[in-house]
Amino acid sequence: MAQDRTLYERSHVFIKDRLPQTDTRDGSLDEITGTITITTNDRGRFFRFLPKGIEDNVTDDWALVNNGQSVISFKNSKNENNALTFSPNPLLKFRIHFNINTLRSIRRQHVLHGIANMVFALKDGTTFPTFYFNLGGSKELLDLLGQFLRLQKSPRDNRLYIVREEIPQESQPQPASAYDQLNLFDNSNDLFKRIKGSDSRRTAIEKFSRVTHFFKDALLGQNDIITSGEHSEAIIEPDITALMESFSEELRESNNDGFEVIYKVDFKKLPQVTRYPPLTTKEWKMCLDKDGRVIDVNKMKERIFRGGLESNELRSEVWKFLLNYYPWSSTSDERVELAKQKEAEYFAMKLQWKSMNEQQKQRNNLFRDRESLIDKDVIRTDRTHVYFQGDNNLHLEVLHDVLMTYNMFNFDLGYVQGMNDLLSPILIVMENEVDAFWCFVGLMERMQQNFHMDQSHIKRQLGNLHTLLQFIDAELANYLAENNSSNMYFFFRWMLICFKREFSFEDVMYLWEVLWTDHPCENFELLVCLAILISQKTVIMESKFGCNEILKHINDLSLKVQLEPLLKHAEGLYILLKDHDQATPGLPPQISAIMFPNQNKNLKKSTRQDGHDSDSDATSTISSVKSSRGASPNPDVEHKPRTRHLTESHSIDENDSAVVSHTKKP
């Protein structure tokens, strides 16, 4: 056995994550303290982080970690009965070990009068939690790694160090096709049979099957998107060909132009954005008149957008407005009567499925299959949250009943996997079956398009993300295209269940109520996605991540992204877009149509010259130009209609910033 020699050791290093048994209602993360060591032996040099409390486990001859929650270990002993031991320990999932030659990048941030921290990313896209060096030692660790690795400081970010090495092109694994990435829900269904005649696709899928579980988790986690039906074809099977064609067609524009339009928007200099503490119960009550009406609805939505709500108790009241259970104009008395009416409606629908006998169910395959799917999904919904922990949990029964009743309420859509994820926080906040149901109905009114079998809405949103990224950061968009990732499939899970698994429970509830205000625009979640992606640009590009590594890296960001800076970044992008949309010549029409669909002002415009109307087309070219913008626009300025003197069609090319000018062609 190889003998380890310690090159570096530092204790009192901690990471922030959530232990499975932790009560997550306060949204805080646990500090998991441990020791970092760098060791060397004849197999190489290795990084290891060992959380405090599991040191004894490493003395076994071998150990099998069971889902990061427990360990089955073996120690050579004369007493065979004592050889195998089972040790439950939630800290095991935080034990980290890798060969330092697999490192792709290191980020070290030294905070003045604070705690330095480091983030390690591997060549396969794995990104570990941030390590905080409570007693120092990060600089020594970086210097040591620099002795064995060729570290180069990033020109874009002086905190990021890239591991440089020459990798023969032929040794690089071929990126999986975009088609294969989405074909991850069930490789045993008819979709696989239908494409088996294609050698290239069959070969890719056969290779891909080796990592099926990883990519399923990358897109959806434990829950596949499946809707039950009478036949196996009811499994959601994305129309891949149409999906890919639509992405390419969305950016094709005609060039019968009389003008050349060049856009210039510097998205690297974001305006300052102000956010506030959460709305308090006292503030909420002050915004109601003597009859209980909300005095100024727009002002209230703006306030919620700026800071969210302070507690679940307040959420249980305000979410009913945000999710259209209560009308914003209703009085307190009207809401009492409405609640009584909705309660009667709910239990009438619940009685419909509760009163079905087994013979009736046997004659209704669709109902029976949906019920079976709900039964399976409910028992694995947020079981690490204290609200759903334990055997025979009554809250799980309520979750089941609400989903079954929604199946009766909207039988055309029924139940689709992922809905349980959306209902869970609502039930935790409401702690009332009827209120949770009607709020869930309101949420599904907003999101049910995500669960349609043709996936047209998700497809459209992914296309919109790609279009926005081309305009906001064409360099990153082109990099993704070169690495077979312009399909933006790594956003799929984010869009499907609205970031439910990407943030802590408290942050998810905060983000949801921010998005439900529809302020400052209905598609604000697209800018949230882009803000996350752009924040990872340097790591992705300078680490030279390919398709698989990008997908894994983005998936590994779960619970590692700070929400407040993210919201500021997303709003800063919106402000620049709106500010430029109000200027001349405005935004390209496809960008304006995504961000300002209600205005619809860029799709068709007429020119009024010499007393008559005429239409002319224009072409847009976006070129690489470094730009600096000055003052931040005011996001609250009311949009004033403007007369535009041309109709534009555009083609988007790569750039760092988008440039705007008009030139009349002869």
Side-chain angles (χ1 to χ4, degrees):
M1 180 178 293
Q3 296 296 318
D4 289 348
R5 181 166 62 90
T6 301
L7 303 178
Y8 172 93
E9 183 172 5
R10 182 69 61 171
S11 60
H12 296 89
V13 179
F14 65 88
I15 59 177
K16 294 182 179 180
D17 211 313
R18 177 159 293 116
L19 293 171
Q21 76 274 18
T22 302
D23 184 347
T24 60
R25 284 178 292 188
D26 63 357
S28 60
L29 297 175
D30 297 297
E31 289 188 1
I32 299 154
T33 303
T35 300
I36 286 179
T37 56
I38 303 293
T39 59
T40 182
N41 56 42
D42 54 10
R43 293 175 300 169
R45 301 177 184 89
F46 297 88
F47 174 103
R48 184 175 72 175
F49 175 73
L50 192 64
K52 185 178 181 181
I54 63 171
E55 292 86 348
D56 292 339
N57 290 324
V58 299
T59 62
D60 299 318
D61 292 303
W62 59 260
L64 174 66
V65 177
N66 178 27
N67 198 28
Q69 308 297 320
S70 59
V71 62
I72 301 173
S73 58
F74 173 81
K75 193 172 184 66
N76 195 4
S77 172
K78 295 180 180 180
N79 185 354
E80 294 184 0
N81 294 329
N82 297 327
L84 284 174
T85 59
F86 176 81
S87 307
N89 194 330
L91 291 173
L92 285 167
K93 66 178 293 186
F94 305 109
R95 185 170 58 179
I96 296 170
H97 185 271
F98 60 85
N99 190 314
I100 67 170
N101 288 330
T102 63
L103 276 170
R104 177 60 59 85
S105 68
I106 305 168
R107 178 186 294 274
R108 177 180 178 268
Q109 183 172 357
H110 180 72
V111 182
L112 188 63
H113 305 304
I115 300 175
N117 62 75
M118 299 179 75
V119 179
F120 300 94
L122 303 186
K123 294 174 183 177
D124 65 357
T126 300
T127 302
F128 295 108
T130 302
F131 292 92
Y132 296 88
F133 290 75
N134 209 9
L135 300 180
S138 63
K139 181 63 167 58
E140 292 85 345
L141 176 56
L142 184 65
D143 290 342
L144 176 66
L145 293 174
Q147 296 177 25
F148 307 113
L149 303 172
R150 184 184 168 200
L151 299 179
Q152 181 177 336
K153 187 175 291 189
S154 166
R156 293 187 178 93
D157 185 350
N158 59 14
R159 299 168 299 178
L160 182 67
Y161 297 83
I162 306 297
V163 179
R164 297 299 185 192
E165 60 180 340
E166 296 297 328
I167 304 176
Q169 189 64 30
E170 59 272 16
S171 68
Q172 294 273 17
Q174 293 299 315
S177 68
Y179 179 93
D180 295 322
Q181 285 188 58
L182 198 55
N183 181 30
L184 303 171
F185 306 109
D186 189 345
N187 60 12
S188 64
N189 61 30
D190 288 342
L191 179 60
F192 184 80
K193 299 175 184 177
R194 289 201 295 271
I195 63 171
K196 65 181 180 180
S198 171
D199 292 337
S200 60
R201 290 182 176 180
R202 182 178 69 251
T203 301
I205 288 180
E206 287 172 352
K207 293 179 180 179
F208 216 56
S209 64
R210 302 170 189 169
V211 289
T212 299
H213 292 298
F214 158 67
F215 280 106
K216 279 185 179 179
D217 289 341
L219 287 176
L220 295 174
Q222 295 178 347
N223 295 336
D224 308 340
I225 313 177
I226 301 176
T227 181
S228 311
E230 191 170 357
H231 307 289
S232 61
E233 287 81 3
I235 296 176
I236 288 186
E237 299 169 356
D239 185 350
I240 310 299
T241 303
L243 181 62
M244 295 309 300
E245 288 177 353
S246 70
F247 286 148
S248 59
E249 288 173 357
E250 281 177 1
L251 298 178
R252 297 174 190 157
E253 301 285 353
S254 60
N255 289 327
N256 48 340
D257 53 314
F259 288 84
E260 179 178 318
V261 184
I262 302 179
Y263 292 88
K264 181 176 183 181
V265 186
D266 185 359
F267 288 99
K268 295 180 179 178
K269 296 185 178 180
L270 297 178
Q272 291 294 322
V273 171
T274 302
R275 298 198 62 80
Y276 303 133
L279 178 76
T280 65
T281 302
K282 181 178 179 181
E283 285 182 89
W284 167 253
K285 291 180 178 179
M286 291 175 61
C287 293
L288 305 177
D289 64 16
K290 59 183 180 63
D291 295 322
R293 292 188 186 89
V294 178
I295 298 171
D296 190 329
V297 175
N298 289 331
K299 185 177 180 181
M300 175 54 63
K301 288 183 177 181
E302 162 79 13
R303 179 65 183 87
I304 296 171
F305 172 80
R306 293 277 165 220
L309 304 168
E310 71 168 353
S311 65
N312 284 357
E313 182 180 0
L314 182 57
R315 288 186 173 109
S316 66
E317 177 71 15
V318 180
W319 278 19
K320 296 172 185 176
F321 292 88
L322 292 171
L323 294 172
N324 295 321
Y325 179 14
Y326 289 162
W328 285 95
S329 59
S330 61
T331 66
S332 298
D333 292 340
E334 290 171 343
R335 293 194 288 273
V336 171
E337 292 302 316
L338 179 63
K340 293 178 181 178
Q341 174 190 337
K342 292 294 186 181
E343 183 178 21
E345 291 180 23
Y346 173 76
F347 284 110
M349 288 184 289
K350 183 175 180 179
L351 183 62
Q352 290 177 354
W353 66 267
K354 279 282 191 180
S355 59
M356 291 181 67
N357 57 39
E358 288 303 317
Q359 291 181 337
Q360 289 174 307
K361 292 180 182 179
Q362 288 301 319
R363 291 192 293 269
N364 191 332
N365 291 339
L366 186 58
F367 177 88
R368 187 178 65 251
D369 291 346
R370 287 175 177 173
E371 182 181 39
S372 175
L373 188 57
I374 290 173
D375 290 342
K376 293 175 182 177
D377 286 349
V378 163
I379 60 175
R380 56 183 183 180
T381 301
D382 291 325
R383 297 307 303 273
T384 59
H385 194 285
V386 65
Y387 193 80
F388 295 111
Q389 283 179 355
D391 298 331
N392 302 317
N393 188 296
L394 295 178
H395 299 139
L396 291 176
E397 295 182 19
V398 177
L399 187 76
H400 172 274
D401 290 356
V402 171
L403 291 173
M404 286 294 299
T405 307
Y406 183 79
N407 179 49
M408 299 300 298
F409 174 81
N410 189 358
F411 202 77
D412 285 345
L413 178 63
Y415 173 77
V416 183
Q417 285 188 323
M419 291 182 179
N420 55 319
D421 272 302
L422 298 177
L423 174 59
S424 169
I426 294 177
L427 183 58
I428 290 172
V429 166
M430 295 299 159
E431 296 192 278
N432 177 282
E433 183 176 348
V434 176
D435 291 343
F437 172 81
W438 290 110
C439 286
F440 181 67
V441 168
L443 178 58
M444 289 308 300
E445 285 295 316
R446 299 176 61 95
M447 298 190 62
Q448 64 176 329
Q449 295 180 87
N450 287 9
F451 299 96
H452 288 172
M453 288 185 63
D454 64 2
Q455 294 187 323
S456 57
H457 181 68
I458 292 285
K459 176 174 65 177
R460 183 167 56 252
Q461 290 294 72
L462 293 175
N464 288 341
L465 281 167
H466 182 245
T467 302
L468 286 170
L469 183 63
Q470 281 190 305
F471 186 68
I472 292 174
D473 195 328
E475 182 185 23
L476 179 55
N478 291 335
Y479 180 86
L480 296 180
E482 292 168 0
N483 288 275
N484 203 30
S485 299
S486 60
N487 46 58
M488 313 292 274
Y489 289 161
F490 42 80
F491 283 128
F492 190 92
R493 186 177 72 186
W494 301 4
M495 302 300 298
L496 179 74
I497 53 177
C498 198
F499 307 96
K500 167 62 166 32
R501 300 181 188 174
E502 317 315 318
F503 297 95
S504 67
F505 233 86
E506 182 66 25
D507 279 352
V508 165
M509 293 187 289
Y510 174 25
L511 177 58
W512 281 8
E513 60 207 16
V514 165
L515 296 177
W516 294 343
T517 65
D518 292 324
H519 184 90
C521 60
E522 293 182 4
N523 276 328
F524 189 68
E525 68 271 13
L526 298 183
L527 297 180
V528 173
C529 286
L530 291 183
I532 296 176
L533 182 59
I534 292 170
S535 72
Q536 302 301 309
K537 173 182 177 179
T538 302
V539 173
I540 290 173
M541 292 183 62
E542 298 203 14
S543 299
K544 297 180 179 173
F545 284 159
C547 173
N548 296 351
E549 292 83 8
I550 293 171
L551 179 60
K552 192 174 192 308
H553 177 75
I554 296 297
N555 185 59
D556 284 345
L557 294 177
S558 178
L559 296 177
K560 298 173 186 174
V561 178
Q562 294 184 356
L563 181 57
E564 199 70 24
L566 179 67
L567 292 174
K568 290 182 179 181
H569 189 165
E571 188 180 358
L573 294 175
Y574 170 82
I575 291 172
L576 290 181
L577 288 169
K578 182 178 180 182
D579 180 56
H580 193 71
D581 193 56
Q582 294 177 331
T584 300
L587 294 171
Q590 65 269 47
I591 303 299
S592 185
I594 295 170
M595 296 310 305
F596 312 104
N598 295 330
Q599 296 179 19
N600 197 29
K601 62 183 180 54
N602 282 333
L603 298 179
K604 185 177 181 180
K605 297 183 178 68
S606 56
T607 350
R608 299 184 179 273
Q609 295 177 349
D610 300 325
H612 65 277
D613 295 344
S614 63
D615 293 335
S616 61
D617 294 327
T619 336
S620 160
T621 325
I622 299 183
S623 55
S624 291
V625 177
K626 302 291 182 182
S627 162
S628 60
R629 287 200 56 168
S632 304
N634 185 350
D636 298 321
V637 173
E638 183 179 358
H639 173 72
K640 298 180 180 179
R642 295 174 287 106
T643 302
R644 295 285 306 281
H645 297 290
L646 59 149
T647 303
E648 305 156 348
S649 63
H650 305 264
S651 61
I652 295 182
D653 199 359
E654 67 174 299
N655 69 342
D656 283 334
S657 45
V659 183
V660 181
S661 67
H662 278 267
T663 311
K664 178 69 176 182
K665 286 191 174 182

